[in-house]
Amino acid sequence: MVGIMRIGIDDTDSPEGMCTTYLGAVLARRLRQEGYSVSEALLVRLNPNVPYKTRGNAAICLEVKGDAGQAFALACACVEELADFSAAQTNPGVVVAERPLPRGFYHRAVTGFCTTGEAIAFLDAHGACYRGYKNGRGLIGAAAAVGAVFSDATYELLAYRRHEEQGGRIVGRESVFSAEDATYPHTWDSVDRENDMVVCVPHTPDPVLFGIRGESPAWVRTARTHIQSQEPVIEQVYRTNQGTDAHLVAGKIGAMDEGRSYLASGTVASLPRTGRGGHVAFDLADGEHTVRCMAYEPTKGFRDVVRQLVPGDVLLVAGSYRKGSVNLEKMRVCEVHPISTRRPPVCGACGRRMTSAGAGKGYKCRECGARSFQPEVSRAPRTLSPGWYEVPPSARRHLAKPLVRFTSAELAGLQGRYLIADCGETGREDTGYYTS
Ligand code: ATP
């Protein structure tokens, strides 16, 4: 039958090579060569805490018009040719859905955990066609990708080298900085200025040469014109849930589940402490419950912000809950607690500053012998101001929304999901992504 369909694919790579987004780019090209129209390519990031992921837990979805049976055969052939089947952890999944699917499965896969059985039941219930290879785990990501509906989206232009190619990539460092100079804040995270690093060129053994993230296809393409590199073999612009905080749900300290990511508020309950490896930890409390918050060493200068927190500061924190800690991606300092300092008072009789008379004995004037029990209390200035703070681009997770994307109302904590009551699981089962 000829109509609009969605093709979802996941779990084709291994730590030694390949990348599902590359496979998606190749398949899109092959489909076009076969006369299909490919109206949209989606790069769908899923729960960043799943243990089986190779790198960034990405699945892809192509929205295509043409014959569904043939498209399924082409997608399977592409996976069979390119997926790294030799790796135990590579378990590809291919799905073709000719009808819009409810978004609930996608929502669960980006904010929580799903099983292969649940993916198969979901696909069966909605009449989708699928094939799982080996243990079929890739069907989870493939099913989530075909059911994905983004309430917010960004774009990424990915340029690829040949998939067999290994070793260093040739991408001009200065050209990447110029690309960001010319297009920021409409593109972001190509470089990390604070740490003087190129971020958009990976070091992993996969076909990605570089990736430019931005707010529209036009902006990522403009940035791309500045990049000087070895010749890519293929390029693809994906619409994506990267940079949208799609993984965050409203959380409560004391009631967080392992491997989910939260936006939660609380009051700082301990001074930050720097541990081995330079990781910084502090406790955040809500009533009688506390949780440890972590700013790891790769978050670099963000740790200096965290080190300025004091007990009593009120925060909204965003991050994944793992092994008893919230691993911070960003935080809003809602209120800074006043800090006061105490020192011996000035003697009322002779004007000299008193000194301590010993533990619990107040103060004594060494000049005239006068005594006092009242210290001089003054308010110390806080170096930390209320507002949002985030990890640098080099430490940013794919799904984390960078502050450069926040509206001024969001920055002020006045709008959207950053008012914590507005954030959370809607469990909506809405559909409607097909263009016709
Ligand atoms: P690739 O480029 O191949 O997509 P990756 O880093 O995205 O690499 P995968 O190799 O795809 O990771 O491994 C992730 C595996 O976890 C896939 O099999 C996918 O179906 C599965 N998965 C994704 N999200 C979830 C989830 N929420 N719950 C359980 N399994 C999931």
Side-chain angles (χ1 to χ4, degrees):
M1 206 182 91
V2 174
I4 299 235
M5 78 197 93
R6 274 189 164 195
I7 305 173
I9 299 178
D10 196 14
D11 206 344
T12 63
D13 70 357
S14 76
E16 279 71 51
M18 261 310 290
C19 171
T20 302
T21 69
Y22 168 79
L23 200 146
V26 171
L27 178 60
R29 182 162 69 185
R30 288 184 186 173
L31 285 164
R32 286 194 183 100
Q33 284 165 351
E34 293 296 322
Y36 288 82
S37 80
V38 180
S39 49
E40 183 112 270
L42 301 183
L43 193 182
V44 184
R45 295 282 176 188
L46 300 169
N47 184 349
N49 304 308
V50 302
Y52 328 105
K53 69 172 182 175
T54 312
R55 283 177 275 271
N57 201 8
I60 65 99
C61 168
L62 301 177
E63 204 166 291
V64 173
K65 190 168 187 180
D67 178 79
Q70 246 184 53
F72 183 68
L74 273 169
C76 290
C78 205
V79 167
E80 285 158 25
E81 177 193 331
L82 292 173
D84 186 356
F85 282 96
S86 63
Q89 285 270 52
T90 302
N91 299 286
V94 178
V95 171
V96 171
E98 293 180 83
R99 283 190 278 133
L101 304 185
R103 86 189 290 251
F105 189 81
Y106 157 70
H107 188 260
R108 281 196 294 282
V110 72
T111 61
F113 295 89
C114 307
T115 64
T116 309
E118 287 166 352
I120 290 172
F122 170 70
L123 295 169
D124 282 340
H126 297 285
C129 180
Y130 57 87
R131 182 171 298 165
Y133 294 84
K134 294 166 71 182
N135 76 15
R137 189 184 292 125
L139 286 173
I140 301 170
V146 291
V149 181
F150 300 153
S151 39
D152 180 18
T154 63
Y155 292 82
E156 179 160 10
L157 181 152
L158 280 152
Y160 300 94
R161 57 181 180 171
R162 284 182 304 108
H163 70 272
E164 310 86 358
E165 206 172 318
Q166 297 282 326
R169 293 145 167 100
I170 302 166
V171 180
R173 177 187 151 86
E174 290 315 314
S175 74
V176 180
F177 276 86
S178 328
E180 178 133 321
D181 280 345
T183 55
Y184 183 89
H186 307 289
T187 71
W188 51 83
D189 288 3
S190 296
V191 299
D192 179 341
R193 291 198 173 279
E194 198 182 307
N195 297 298
D196 195 26
M197 284 166 72
V198 168
V199 178
C200 70
V201 181
H203 301 285
T204 40
D206 59 63
V208 175
L209 188 55
F210 58 83
I212 309 278
R213 297 174 178 196
E215 68 185 30
S216 69
W219 277 110
V220 295
R221 287 197 176 99
T222 303
R224 192 263 168 274
T225 61
H226 293 262
I227 307 271
Q228 287 164 3
S229 72
Q230 66 186 90
E231 191 60 24
V233 291
I234 189 165
E235 298 186 22
Q236 177 69 49
V237 175
Y238 281 103
R239 193 161 79 87
T240 173
N241 59 354
Q242 289 171 172
T244 66
D245 280 348
H247 60 319
L248 299 183
V249 296
K252 202 156 171 43
I253 295 169
M256 293 183 174
D257 297 328
E258 176 69 19
R260 300 192 78 197
S261 307
Y262 293 100
L263 195 58
S265 57
T267 304
V268 175
S270 75
L271 280 172
R273 43 203 184 268
T274 302
R276 226 182 323 153
H279 312 308
V280 180
F282 66 91
D283 298 328
L284 193 68
D286 180 4
E288 73 268 30
H289 298 289
T290 62
V291 69
R292 187 171 54 236
C293 292
M294 295 294 306
Y296 286 100
E297 189 282 331
T299 66
K300 305 288 179 201
F302 177 68
R303 294 170 304 158
D304 297 333
V305 176
V306 169
R307 286 190 187 102
Q308 295 173 54
L309 294 168
V310 300
D313 288 347
V314 179
L315 306 183
L316 185 57
V317 296
S320 294
Y321 179 73
R322 300 194 68 180
K323 298 185 182 147
S325 302
V326 172
N327 301 331
L328 296 176
E329 293 169 11
K330 58 180 163 267
M331 64 178 182
R332 185 160 101 87
V333 177
C334 307
E335 286 170 33
V336 288
H337 191 68
I339 319 179
S340 44
T341 54
R342 293 159 163 258
R343 59 177 185 159
V346 170
C347 175
C350 66
R352 301 276 304 243
R353 188 159 300 276
M354 292 179 157
T355 55
S356 170
K361 292 185 183 153
Y363 305 97
K364 187 176 176 186
C365 179
R366 302 281 169 212
E367 197 66 24
C368 68
R371 285 182 168 270
S372 168
F373 281 91
Q374 292 302 318
E376 185 180 288
V377 179
S378 54
R379 191 160 278 195
R382 289 294 307 269
T383 48
L384 186 64
S385 309
W388 280 98
Y389 298 90
E390 64 182 348
V391 303
S394 54
R396 184 151 17 245
R397 297 182 108 179
H398 298 294
L399 280 163
K401 180 167 164 172
L403 296 184
V404 67
R405 295 202 63 236
F406 276 42
T407 61
S408 47
E410 282 172 342
L411 282 173
L414 296 174
Q415 191 191 306
R417 59 187 310 173
Y418 299 100
L419 275 182
I420 200 154
D422 287 351
C423 156
E425 303 181 68
T426 60
R428 274 191 304 155
E429 293 283 311
D430 55 341
T431 56
Y433 49 72
Y434 286 170
T435 42
S436 65

